Amino acid sequence: HDYEMSARDAAKVQTSDLFIYQDDEMEHFVEDLTKLLDTDKTKVQKTTEGIELLKGDADHEDHEDHDHEAESGQSGEEGHHHEFDPHTWMDPMTYAKQAENVKKALVALDPDNASTYEANAASLTEDLKKLDQEFKEGTAKLSDKNFVVQHAAFGYLAHAYGLEQHAITGISSTAEPSAAALAKMQEFVKEHKTKVIFVDPSLDDAIAKTVASATGAELRPLRTLETVSSEEIAAGADYFSLTRENLANLTK
């Protein structure tokens, strides 16, 4: 979300055959980067191309808008309102569509190895279908389809499995809720006797703790997968293991 392109990274992309990125809602730097590229030499693939995105929080009025930062010329994640939700990978089958886009880009660029890309994409899609089935079966058992999160990164997961996400803050992980939004969420948690508030361990959980302390709810991890530590990667953590941890925590 908040990556700022360095001159070294821009040079790397300019000398590459293919640049793959999530979408313009996630990587705000891409608009400036593509102006530097000779697209005859460096092909650009947005992985969410052709995928219908969920509405974001562009019209959200419950959060502080950081106008002072916009006025001071600062850019990046803070102060940015998302017209669309960029967290598509939280739904395995939407992620499979993204994989298909990447496969097509690679095949077009390197047709001699098309069979390898086709086989790898088919294998990945099969694994994603299994994961999707696990989520369907696990979430179907939930008597209450509502869940409360600090950061509204789970819209695609909720949409895919008939759940209802209730977020304390918006799609931006750095957004701060207004006092009214905090009070409203505390009321919701009490009214629905919500016992758990989900927070990504990589985020500051102070906002969620405020609601939890006022309502008696416990905090439990739910990963956005945006941040994975080098220690976790060394231990073999990947998209599938972390997503299955999410399922376990969501259905616990």
Side-chain angles (χ1 to χ4, degrees):
H1 270 302
D2 53 5
Y3 165 78
E4 291 185 15
M5 181 176 58
S6 67
R8 178 182 292 181
D9 284 347
K12 275 185 187 176
V13 177
Q14 286 173 299
T15 57
S16 298
D17 300 311
L18 176 65
F19 175 66
I20 302 168
Y21 73 108
Q22 169 71 15
D23 60 41
D24 303 307
E25 289 287 321
M26 177 60 73
E27 291 110 334
H28 309 308
F29 67 91
V30 171
E31 185 180 354
D32 291 331
L33 174 64
T34 50
K35 292 172 186 173
L36 306 174
L37 297 180
D38 179 347
T39 51
D40 289 331
K41 293 179 181 176
T42 303
K43 300 301 179 187
V44 177
Q45 179 61 55
K46 178 170 69 172
T47 66
T48 56
E49 186 178 339
I51 295 172
E52 189 175 347
L53 301 180
L54 297 178
K55 287 277 178 69
D57 58 7
D59 300 318
H60 209 293
E61 295 178 352
D62 279 345
H63 302 103
E64 305 294 353
D65 59 10
H66 300 283
D67 277 344
H68 60 283
E69 293 193 9
E71 287 166 8
S72 67
Q74 292 181 355
S75 61
E77 173 66 352
E78 279 203 83
H80 179 86
H81 288 298
H82 293 271
E83 185 179 354
F84 296 101
D85 183 349
H87 302 92
T88 52
W89 62 88
M90 301 309 299
D91 169 16
M93 297 319 297
T94 301
Y95 205 33
K97 292 177 185 175
Q98 293 179 254
E100 183 70 13
N101 282 336
V102 173
K103 180 203 74 178
K104 286 177 179 175
L106 291 168
V107 168
L109 198 65
D110 183 22
D112 291 345
N113 290 300
S115 59
T116 300
Y117 302 127
E118 295 279 359
N120 287 344
S123 175
L124 173 59
T125 299
E126 199 54 43
D127 289 342
L128 289 167
K129 283 180 179 176
K130 288 177 187 171
L131 186 62
D132 174 58
Q133 189 58 37
E134 289 174 37
F135 264 85
K136 282 177 178 171
E137 292 172 3
T139 55
K141 297 172 186 173
L142 295 173
S143 57
D144 186 351
K145 304 296 185 182
N146 295 282
F147 66 105
V148 175
V149 295
Q150 174 170 291
H151 170 35
F154 305 95
Y156 290 91
L157 186 154
H159 184 261
Y161 304 111
L163 306 176
E164 192 71 38
Q165 168 186 245
H166 301 273
I168 303 172
T169 69
I171 285 172
S172 163
S173 60
T174 56
E176 294 180 15
S178 64
L182 267 180
K184 187 176 174 183
M185 184 53 69
Q186 288 174 13
E187 199 57 43
F188 176 90
V189 169
K190 289 175 183 175
E191 187 181 324
H192 287 78
K193 298 183 170 61
T194 302
K195 294 182 172 61
V196 177
I197 297 170
F198 293 102
V199 184
D200 189 305
S202 67
L203 296 179
D204 183 341
D205 62 3
I207 294 167
K209 276 181 175 171
T210 299
V211 178
S213 64
T215 60
E218 70 163 295
L219 299 188
R220 194 179 293 170
L222 200 64
R223 303 287 291 267
T224 64
L225 311 181
E226 289 173 45
T227 304
V228 184
S229 70
S230 53
E231 290 81 11
E232 287 177 315
I233 293 169
D238 62 11
Y239 173 85
F240 290 95
S241 66
L242 294 173
T243 303
R244 286 188 169 100
E245 281 182 22
N246 275 353
L247 177 59
N249 278 314
L250 200 57
T251 57
K252 183 177 172 182

PDB file of all heavy atoms in Angstrom, residues 55-82:
ATOM      1  N   LYS A  55     -16.854  -2.458  -4.567  1.00  0.00           N
ATOM      2  CA  LYS A  55     -16.767  -1.023  -4.249  1.00  0.00           C
ATOM      3  C   LYS A  55     -15.892  -0.821  -3.018  1.00  0.00           C
ATOM      4  O   LYS A  55     -15.914  -1.631  -2.083  1.00  0.00           O
ATOM      5  CB  LYS A  55     -18.168  -0.466  -3.981  1.00  0.00           C
ATOM      6  CG  LYS A  55     -19.020  -0.324  -5.251  1.00  0.00           C
ATOM      7  CD  LYS A  55     -18.705   0.974  -5.965  1.00  0.00           C
ATOM      8  CE  LYS A  55     -19.501   1.115  -7.252  1.00  0.00           C
ATOM      9  NZ  LYS A  55     -20.930   1.318  -7.008  1.00  0.00           N
ATOM     10  N   GLY A  56     -15.160   0.276  -3.004  1.00  0.00           N
ATOM     11  CA  GLY A  56     -14.286   0.590  -1.884  1.00  0.00           C
ATOM     12  C   GLY A  56     -14.938   1.555  -0.919  1.00  0.00           C
ATOM     13  O   GLY A  56     -16.153   1.546  -0.743  1.00  0.00           O
ATOM     14  N   ASP A  57     -14.125   2.440  -0.334  1.00  0.00           N
ATOM     15  CA  ASP A  57     -14.650   3.366   0.682  1.00  0.00           C
ATOM     16  C   ASP A  57     -14.498   4.815   0.250  1.00  0.00           C
ATOM     17  O   ASP A  57     -14.338   5.706   1.065  1.00  0.00           O
ATOM     18  CB  ASP A  57     -13.960   3.135   2.028  1.00  0.00           C
ATOM     19  CG  ASP A  57     -12.447   3.299   1.954  1.00  0.00           C
ATOM     20  OD1 ASP A  57     -11.942   3.727   0.885  1.00  0.00           O
ATOM     21  OD2 ASP A  57     -11.766   3.003   2.949  1.00  0.00           O
ATOM     22  N   ALA A  58     -14.565   5.063  -1.058  1.00  0.00           N
ATOM     23  CA  ALA A  58     -14.391   6.438  -1.551  1.00  0.00           C
ATOM     24  C   ALA A  58     -15.416   7.393  -0.969  1.00  0.00           C
ATOM     25  O   ALA A  58     -15.153   8.575  -0.781  1.00  0.00           O
ATOM     26  CB  ALA A  58     -14.478   6.458  -3.078  1.00  0.00           C
ATOM     27  N   ASP A  59     -16.607   6.859  -0.678  1.00  0.00           N
ATOM     28  CA  ASP A  59     -17.666   7.718  -0.138  1.00  0.00           C
ATOM     29  C   ASP A  59     -17.874   7.524   1.361  1.00  0.00           C
ATOM     30  O   ASP A  59     -18.869   7.946   1.923  1.00  0.00           O
ATOM     31  CB  ASP A  59     -18.986   7.426  -0.868  1.00  0.00           C
ATOM     32  CG  ASP A  59     -18.874   7.695  -2.360  1.00  0.00           C
ATOM     33  OD1 ASP A  59     -18.258   8.713  -2.706  1.00  0.00           O
ATOM     34  OD2 ASP A  59     -19.390   6.889  -3.146  1.00  0.00           O
ATOM     35  N   HIS A  60     -16.899   6.859   1.997  1.00  0.00           N
ATOM     36  CA  HIS A  60     -17.038   6.543   3.415  1.00  0.00           C
ATOM     37  C   HIS A  60     -16.911   7.808   4.245  1.00  0.00           C
ATOM     38  O   HIS A  60     -15.985   8.580   4.073  1.00  0.00           O
ATOM     39  CB  HIS A  60     -15.941   5.536   3.815  1.00  0.00           C
ATOM     40  CG  HIS A  60     -16.352   4.646   4.948  1.00  0.00           C
ATOM     41  ND1 HIS A  60     -16.563   5.132   6.205  1.00  0.00           N
ATOM     42  CD2 HIS A  60     -16.590   3.320   5.014  1.00  0.00           C
ATOM     43  CE1 HIS A  60     -16.902   4.126   7.006  1.00  0.00           C
ATOM     44  NE2 HIS A  60     -16.934   3.029   6.303  1.00  0.00           N
ATOM     45  N   GLU A  61     -17.821   8.024   5.157  1.00  0.00           N
ATOM     46  CA  GLU A  61     -17.801   9.269   5.938  1.00  0.00           C
ATOM     47  C   GLU A  61     -17.464   9.034   7.410  1.00  0.00           C
ATOM     48  O   GLU A  61     -17.423   9.966   8.194  1.00  0.00           O
ATOM     49  CB  GLU A  61     -19.168   9.956   5.839  1.00  0.00           C
ATOM     50  CG  GLU A  61     -19.495  10.412   4.412  1.00  0.00           C
ATOM     51  CD  GLU A  61     -20.860  11.058   4.308  1.00  0.00           C
ATOM     52  OE1 GLU A  61     -21.598  11.011   5.307  1.00  0.00           O
ATOM     53  OE2 GLU A  61     -21.183  11.575   3.248  1.00  0.00           O
ATOM     54  N   ASP A  62     -17.176   7.774   7.754  1.00  0.00           N
ATOM     55  CA  ASP A  62     -16.977   7.466   9.172  1.00  0.00           C
ATOM     56  C   ASP A  62     -15.523   7.582   9.632  1.00  0.00           C
ATOM     57  O   ASP A  62     -15.204   7.264  10.752  1.00  0.00           O
ATOM     58  CB  ASP A  62     -17.466   6.040   9.475  1.00  0.00           C
ATOM     59  CG  ASP A  62     -18.969   6.011   9.663  1.00  0.00           C
ATOM     60  OD1 ASP A  62     -19.547   7.095   9.831  1.00  0.00           O
ATOM     61  OD2 ASP A  62     -19.550   4.921   9.638  1.00  0.00           O
ATOM     62  N   HIS A  63     -14.628   8.004   8.733  1.00  0.00           N
ATOM     63  CA  HIS A  63     -13.221   8.009   9.093  1.00  0.00           C
ATOM     64  C   HIS A  63     -12.590   9.370   8.861  1.00  0.00           C
ATOM     65  O   HIS A  63     -12.999  10.139   7.997  1.00  0.00           O
ATOM     66  CB  HIS A  63     -12.479   6.935   8.279  1.00  0.00           C
ATOM     67  CG  HIS A  63     -13.056   5.571   8.502  1.00  0.00           C
ATOM     68  ND1 HIS A  63     -13.888   4.967   7.575  1.00  0.00           N
ATOM     69  CD2 HIS A  63     -12.976   4.719   9.553  1.00  0.00           C
ATOM     70  CE1 HIS A  63     -14.270   3.794   8.044  1.00  0.00           C
ATOM     71  NE2 HIS A  63     -13.734   3.630   9.229  1.00  0.00           N
ATOM     72  N   GLU A  64     -11.568   9.659   9.660  1.00  0.00           N
ATOM     73  CA  GLU A  64     -10.826  10.908   9.483  1.00  0.00           C
ATOM     74  C   GLU A  64     -10.195  10.886   8.089  1.00  0.00           C
ATOM     75  O   GLU A  64      -9.677   9.877   7.656  1.00  0.00           O
ATOM     76  CB  GLU A  64      -9.720  11.016  10.550  1.00  0.00           C
ATOM     77  CG  GLU A  64     -10.213  10.880  11.986  1.00  0.00           C
ATOM     78  CD  GLU A  64     -11.120  12.017  12.423  1.00  0.00           C
ATOM     79  OE1 GLU A  64     -11.268  12.994  11.662  1.00  0.00           O
ATOM     80  OE2 GLU A  64     -11.678  11.936  13.515  1.00  0.00           O
ATOM     81  N   ASP A  65     -10.216  12.031   7.385  1.00  0.00           N
ATOM     82  CA  ASP A  65      -9.797  11.990   5.987  1.00  0.00           C
ATOM     83  C   ASP A  65      -8.390  12.510   5.718  1.00  0.00           C
ATOM     84  O   ASP A  65      -7.940  12.530   4.576  1.00  0.00           O
ATOM     85  CB  ASP A  65     -10.790  12.746   5.094  1.00  0.00           C
ATOM     86  CG  ASP A  65     -10.939  14.210   5.507  1.00  0.00           C
ATOM     87  OD1 ASP A  65     -10.136  14.666   6.347  1.00  0.00           O
ATOM     88  OD2 ASP A  65     -11.841  14.885   4.985  1.00  0.00           O
ATOM     89  N   HIS A  66      -7.679  12.931   6.739  1.00  0.00           N
ATOM     90  CA  HIS A  66      -6.286  13.361   6.590  1.00  0.00           C
ATOM     91  C   HIS A  66      -6.117  14.435   5.516  1.00  0.00           C
ATOM     92  O   HIS A  66      -5.147  14.460   4.778  1.00  0.00           O
ATOM     93  CB  HIS A  66      -5.383  12.158   6.242  1.00  0.00           C
ATOM     94  CG  HIS A  66      -5.404  11.088   7.290  1.00  0.00           C
ATOM     95  ND1 HIS A  66      -4.717  11.201   8.465  1.00  0.00           N
ATOM     96  CD2 HIS A  66      -6.043   9.894   7.331  1.00  0.00           C
ATOM     97  CE1 HIS A  66      -4.921  10.108   9.199  1.00  0.00           C
ATOM     98  NE2 HIS A  66      -5.713   9.308   8.526  1.00  0.00           N
ATOM     99  N   ASP A  67      -7.095  15.362   5.431  1.00  0.00           N
ATOM    100  CA  ASP A  67      -6.997  16.400   4.413  1.00  0.00           C
ATOM    101  C   ASP A  67      -5.731  17.248   4.571  1.00  0.00           C
ATOM    102  O   ASP A  67      -5.177  17.734   3.601  1.00  0.00           O
ATOM    103  CB  ASP A  67      -8.215  17.336   4.475  1.00  0.00           C
ATOM    104  CG  ASP A  67      -9.401  16.763   3.725  1.00  0.00           C
ATOM    105  OD1 ASP A  67      -9.178  15.826   2.941  1.00  0.00           O
ATOM    106  OD2 ASP A  67     -10.526  17.253   3.925  1.00  0.00           O
ATOM    107  N   HIS A  68      -5.290  17.379   5.825  1.00  0.00           N
ATOM    108  CA  HIS A  68      -4.118  18.221   6.056  1.00  0.00           C
ATOM    109  C   HIS A  68      -2.898  17.659   5.350  1.00  0.00           C
ATOM    110  O   HIS A  68      -2.020  18.385   4.909  1.00  0.00           O
ATOM    111  CB  HIS A  68      -3.840  18.354   7.563  1.00  0.00           C
ATOM    112  CG  HIS A  68      -3.577  17.057   8.250  1.00  0.00           C
ATOM    113  ND1 HIS A  68      -4.589  16.169   8.572  1.00  0.00           N
ATOM    114  CD2 HIS A  68      -2.420  16.480   8.681  1.00  0.00           C
ATOM    115  CE1 HIS A  68      -4.059  15.112   9.184  1.00  0.00           C
ATOM    116  NE2 HIS A  68      -2.756  15.268   9.238  1.00  0.00           N
ATOM    117  N   GLU A  69      -2.824  16.332   5.203  1.00  0.00           N
ATOM    118  CA  GLU A  69      -1.691  15.734   4.522  1.00  0.00           C
ATOM    119  C   GLU A  69      -1.790  15.967   3.026  1.00  0.00           C
ATOM    120  O   GLU A  69      -0.792  16.202   2.351  1.00  0.00           O
ATOM    121  CB  GLU A  69      -1.611  14.239   4.832  1.00  0.00           C
ATOM    122  CG  GLU A  69      -1.289  13.992   6.288  1.00  0.00           C
ATOM    123  CD  GLU A  69      -0.904  12.554   6.565  1.00  0.00           C
ATOM    124  OE1 GLU A  69      -0.726  11.788   5.617  1.00  0.00           O
ATOM    125  OE2 GLU A  69      -0.777  12.223   7.747  1.00  0.00           O
ATOM    126  N   ALA A  70      -2.998  15.867   2.481  1.00  0.00           N
ATOM    127  CA  ALA A  70      -3.182  16.112   1.050  1.00  0.00           C
ATOM    128  C   ALA A  70      -2.785  17.548   0.719  1.00  0.00           C
ATOM    129  O   ALA A  70      -2.130  17.816  -0.281  1.00  0.00           O
ATOM    130  CB  ALA A  70      -4.633  15.851   0.648  1.00  0.00           C
ATOM    131  N   GLU A  71      -3.146  18.468   1.628  1.00  0.00           N
ATOM    132  CA  GLU A  71      -2.836  19.882   1.394  1.00  0.00           C
ATOM    133  C   GLU A  71      -1.337  20.143   1.457  1.00  0.00           C
ATOM    134  O   GLU A  71      -0.804  21.008   0.786  1.00  0.00           O
ATOM    135  CB  GLU A  71      -3.549  20.753   2.434  1.00  0.00           C
ATOM    136  CG  GLU A  71      -5.062  20.853   2.180  1.00  0.00           C
ATOM    137  CD  GLU A  71      -5.799  21.410   3.380  1.00  0.00           C
ATOM    138  OE1 GLU A  71      -5.125  21.843   4.333  1.00  0.00           O
ATOM    139  OE2 GLU A  71      -7.037  21.409   3.359  1.00  0.00           O
ATOM    140  N   SER A  72      -0.632  19.346   2.294  1.00  0.00           N
ATOM    141  CA  SER A  72       0.801  19.583   2.437  1.00  0.00           C
ATOM    142  C   SER A  72       1.600  18.911   1.329  1.00  0.00           C
ATOM    143  O   SER A  72       2.822  18.964   1.311  1.00  0.00           O
ATOM    144  CB  SER A  72       1.290  19.062   3.803  1.00  0.00           C
ATOM    145  OG  SER A  72       1.194  17.654   3.847  1.00  0.00           O
ATOM    146  N   GLY A  73       0.898  18.230   0.403  1.00  0.00           N
ATOM    147  CA  GLY A  73       1.596  17.645  -0.734  1.00  0.00           C
ATOM    148  C   GLY A  73       2.073  16.230  -0.489  1.00  0.00           C
ATOM    149  O   GLY A  73       2.736  15.647  -1.333  1.00  0.00           O
ATOM    150  N   GLN A  74       1.806  15.665   0.668  1.00  0.00           N
ATOM    151  CA  GLN A  74       2.222  14.300   0.936  1.00  0.00           C
ATOM    152  C   GLN A  74       1.292  13.341   0.208  1.00  0.00           C
ATOM    153  O   GLN A  74       0.105  13.579   0.077  1.00  0.00           O
ATOM    154  CB  GLN A  74       2.185  14.009   2.441  1.00  0.00           C
ATOM    155  CG  GLN A  74       3.249  14.780   3.216  1.00  0.00           C
ATOM    156  CD  GLN A  74       3.201  14.454   4.692  1.00  0.00           C
ATOM    157  OE1 GLN A  74       2.331  13.728   5.151  1.00  0.00           O
ATOM    158  NE2 GLN A  74       4.136  14.993   5.426  1.00  0.00           N
ATOM    159  N   SER A  75       1.892  12.259  -0.270  1.00  0.00           N
ATOM    160  CA  SER A  75       1.086  11.265  -0.977  1.00  0.00           C
ATOM    161  C   SER A  75       1.256   9.921  -0.305  1.00  0.00           C
ATOM    162  O   SER A  75       1.838   9.822   0.761  1.00  0.00           O
ATOM    163  CB  SER A  75       1.523  11.188  -2.442  1.00  0.00           C
ATOM    164  OG  SER A  75       2.884  10.804  -2.519  1.00  0.00           O
ATOM    165  N   GLY A  76       0.783   8.853  -0.975  1.00  0.00           N
ATOM    166  CA  GLY A  76       0.905   7.532  -0.388  1.00  0.00           C
ATOM    167  C   GLY A  76      -0.424   7.039   0.117  1.00  0.00           C
ATOM    168  O   GLY A  76      -1.479   7.531  -0.264  1.00  0.00           O
ATOM    169  N   GLU A  77      -0.374   6.058   1.026  1.00  0.00           N
ATOM    170  CA  GLU A  77      -1.600   5.402   1.481  1.00  0.00           C
ATOM    171  C   GLU A  77      -2.474   6.349   2.302  1.00  0.00           C
ATOM    172  O   GLU A  77      -3.673   6.385   2.148  1.00  0.00           O
ATOM    173  CB  GLU A  77      -1.217   4.162   2.302  1.00  0.00           C
ATOM    174  CG  GLU A  77      -2.358   3.458   2.996  1.00  0.00           C
ATOM    175  CD  GLU A  77      -3.364   2.808   2.075  1.00  0.00           C
ATOM    176  OE1 GLU A  77      -3.295   3.013   0.848  1.00  0.00           O
ATOM    177  OE2 GLU A  77      -4.238   2.116   2.586  1.00  0.00           O
ATOM    178  N   GLU A  78      -1.855   7.138   3.194  1.00  0.00           N
ATOM    179  CA  GLU A  78      -2.663   8.013   4.046  1.00  0.00           C
ATOM    180  C   GLU A  78      -3.303   9.102   3.201  1.00  0.00           C
ATOM    181  O   GLU A  78      -2.679   9.699   2.337  1.00  0.00           O
ATOM    182  CB  GLU A  78      -1.790   8.622   5.150  1.00  0.00           C
ATOM    183  CG  GLU A  78      -1.590   7.656   6.306  1.00  0.00           C
ATOM    184  CD  GLU A  78      -1.233   8.388   7.564  1.00  0.00           C
ATOM    185  OE1 GLU A  78      -2.155   8.875   8.243  1.00  0.00           O
ATOM    186  OE2 GLU A  78      -0.049   8.452   7.886  1.00  0.00           O
ATOM    187  N   GLY A  79      -4.574   9.375   3.462  1.00  0.00           N
ATOM    188  CA  GLY A  79      -5.279  10.388   2.723  1.00  0.00           C
ATOM    189  C   GLY A  79      -5.894   9.874   1.438  1.00  0.00           C
ATOM    190  O   GLY A  79      -6.594  10.599   0.766  1.00  0.00           O
ATOM    191  N   HIS A  80      -5.603   8.598   1.105  1.00  0.00           N
ATOM    192  CA  HIS A  80      -6.135   8.036  -0.140  1.00  0.00           C
ATOM    193  C   HIS A  80      -7.420   7.267   0.143  1.00  0.00           C
ATOM    194  O   HIS A  80      -7.442   6.387   0.987  1.00  0.00           O
ATOM    195  CB  HIS A  80      -5.109   7.094  -0.773  1.00  0.00           C
ATOM    196  CG  HIS A  80      -5.592   6.467  -2.041  1.00  0.00           C
ATOM    197  ND1 HIS A  80      -5.468   7.088  -3.258  1.00  0.00           N
ATOM    198  CD2 HIS A  80      -6.227   5.293  -2.284  1.00  0.00           C
ATOM    199  CE1 HIS A  80      -5.980   6.316  -4.197  1.00  0.00           C
ATOM    200  NE2 HIS A  80      -6.452   5.227  -3.628  1.00  0.00           N
ATOM    201  N   HIS A  81      -8.474   7.599  -0.590  1.00  0.00           N
ATOM    202  CA  HIS A  81      -9.721   6.850  -0.473  1.00  0.00           C
ATOM    203  C   HIS A  81      -9.802   5.865  -1.628  1.00  0.00           C
ATOM    204  O   HIS A  81      -9.529   6.215  -2.763  1.00  0.00           O
ATOM    205  CB  HIS A  81     -10.925   7.806  -0.507  1.00  0.00           C
ATOM    206  CG  HIS A  81     -11.075   8.614   0.738  1.00  0.00           C
ATOM    207  ND1 HIS A  81     -11.307   8.027   1.968  1.00  0.00           N
ATOM    208  CD2 HIS A  81     -11.015   9.951   0.950  1.00  0.00           C
ATOM    209  CE1 HIS A  81     -11.401   8.990   2.882  1.00  0.00           C
ATOM    210  NE2 HIS A  81     -11.207  10.143   2.301  1.00  0.00           N
ATOM    211  N   HIS A  82     -10.170   4.646  -1.327  1.00  0.00           N
ATOM    212  CA  HIS A  82     -10.232   3.608  -2.348  1.00  0.00           C
ATOM    213  C   HIS A  82     -11.598   3.593  -3.019  1.00  0.00           C
ATOM    214  O   HIS A  82     -12.615   3.364  -2.370  1.00  0.00           O
ATOM    215  CB  HIS A  82      -9.975   2.234  -1.720  1.00  0.00           C
ATOM    216  CG  HIS A  82      -8.574   2.059  -1.214  1.00  0.00           C
ATOM    217  ND1 HIS A  82      -7.563   1.583  -2.021  1.00  0.00           N
ATOM    218  CD2 HIS A  82      -8.018   2.293  -0.012  1.00  0.00           C
ATOM    219  CE1 HIS A  82      -6.437   1.524  -1.314  1.00  0.00           C
ATOM    220  NE2 HIS A  82      -6.692   1.957  -0.096  1.00  0.00           N
TER     221      HIS A  82
END
